[in-house]
Amino acid sequence: MANITTKIIDQQQIWEEFITLHPEANFLQSWYWGEFHEQLGHQIIRSGFYESDNLVGLNLAVVEPAKRGRHLAIPGGPILNWNNQQLITTWVNEIGQLAKQHNCLFVRVRPQLLNTSEAVQLFKTLGFKTAPMHLHAQLTSKLDLSKDDDELKKAMRKGTRYEINRSIKLGIKVEATNEPKLLDEFYNLQIQTAKRQKFVPFSYKFLTEQFKLFAKADKVLMYRSTYQGKLLAMAFIIFYNGEAAYHYGASTDLARQYPGAYAIQWEAIHEAKRRGCRLYDFWGITEHGQTKHRFYGASVFKRGFGGQDVAYLPARDLVVNPIKYQATYLFETARRKVRHL
């Protein structure tokens, strides 16, 4: 077996061509997600793993200069063959060295691995520990887009099917654009939604820079639904590598009376099918039965479309500085409890 070497990849084409060969990869390991973090002022490292001259793995790492503890974040990655032990060992050595080079206390990973006992044991063997906080959605609902409309509606919850049909009868309008003209409106609506649902909203720069970079590649749309000229709901949908992701959403109080959010999702599902997507990812949901969780209502809404729950291995930390990491661990554990995450 040839030795595996690591190189920095600085060509978008090489990176993106490899991604297309791996349907499990989503936008979190895309070239564009790296560009987005660069716009936020973060340093990123795009590592490629080669066996002879063949590219066999990718790892996008983001240096997060967080006050709670500077760390290296690897969202939705790495993208590699988890049956190749030599490749896995090379990857662990690489991220450990990168963390030390960038003065990070730890490396936080949320890989594209299903949450199985085998995956848990693998990361335990590799020296990782369960992170006190999540790193992006780890439980999602994914809808198979190979079905036709009748099949999709048949698999929906009765209430969801009713609301979609009602949105059509009411004449609720849905518009979609990849132009930045709706970003201000979405940002303001997100603040209103955050106050109502008690979560911390994303910054204006975080949302706008992300949207602009994916829009430049024609991989995002902003949706807006209205009834008789009044705003109901908005959604930020990313289309990448055969999968559409309902990344962010926001709604008005009027959306409780009129099914604007349902109309958006139904139109976005159709757009995903037009783009040849295999799956529609409703993004983060809560565990079944967590009725007191602030996102329980949103989770019921998402599951109503008939998708299947997909649980990824929860975030894992590779500790580089055990003494300082302990303070971060205690702080994040306390914050998770306060925010009911």
Side-chain angles (χ1 to χ4, degrees), residues 210-230:
Q210 186 179 149
F211 187 86
K212 288 176 181 178
L213 279 165
F214 281 95
K216 187 178 179 181
D218 191 27
K219 296 184 183 297
V220 68
L221 286 173
M222 183 71 76
Y223 284 84
R224 182 178 186 271
S225 64
T226 56
Y227 178 63
Q228 296 182 346
K230 295 181 179 179

Side-chain angles (χ1 to χ4, degrees), residues 252-313:
T252 64
D253 287 334
L254 195 61
R256 298 179 181 182
Q257 301 176 44
Y258 301 102
Y262 290 91
I264 285 176
Q265 293 304 317
W266 190 230
E267 178 53 40
I269 286 169
H270 283 125
E271 176 63 23
K273 288 171 72 71
R274 285 191 288 270
R275 290 178 179 237
C277 292
R278 298 169 287 101
L279 296 168
Y280 189 94
D281 189 344
F282 284 91
W283 214 237
I285 54 175
T286 63
E287 298 281 355
H288 283 286
Q290 289 186 316
T291 56
K292 295 184 179 180
H293 196 288
R294 65 170 179 264
F295 293 138
Y296 177 74
S299 299
V300 171
F301 166 75
K302 294 175 180 182
R303 283 189 169 110
F305 287 85
Q308 297 294 315
D309 284 8
V310 177
Y312 290 109
L313 182 71

Side-chain angles (χ1 to χ4, degrees), residues 11-68:
Q11 295 182 46
Q12 179 177 342
Q13 183 177 350
I14 293 175
W15 189 276
E16 288 296 311
E17 284 182 352
F18 185 85
I19 290 287
T20 61
L21 300 175
H22 295 268
E24 76 276 14
N26 68 17
F27 65 90
L28 295 173
Q29 282 285 301
S30 70
W31 185 270
Y32 314 102
W33 195 253
E35 287 187 314
F36 157 59
H37 274 281
E38 286 182 316
Q39 290 299 315
L40 296 181
H42 297 158
Q43 186 170 357
I44 67 163
I45 306 100
R46 295 187 180 95
S47 301
F49 301 95
Y50 287 82
E51 194 169 47
S52 295
D53 293 327
N54 298 317
L55 181 61
V56 293
L58 295 178
N59 185 84
L60 171 64
V62 181
V63 179
E64 293 280 2
K67 291 181 180 179
R68 66 183 185 277

Side-chain angles (χ1 to χ4, degrees), residues 185-186 188-197 199 223 225 231-235 246 248-262 264 298 301:
E185 186 175 35
F186 180 76
N188 291 327
L189 185 58
Q190 182 218 199
I191 291 177
Q192 295 175 33
T193 304
K195 289 179 179 178
R196 188 171 66 245
Q197 297 185 358
F199 66 87
Y223 284 84
S225 64
L231 180 64
L232 296 177
M234 299 183 74
Y246 172 33
Y248 308 113
S251 61
T252 64
D253 287 334
L254 195 61
R256 298 179 181 182
Q257 301 176 44
Y258 301 102
Y262 290 91
I264 285 176
F301 166 75

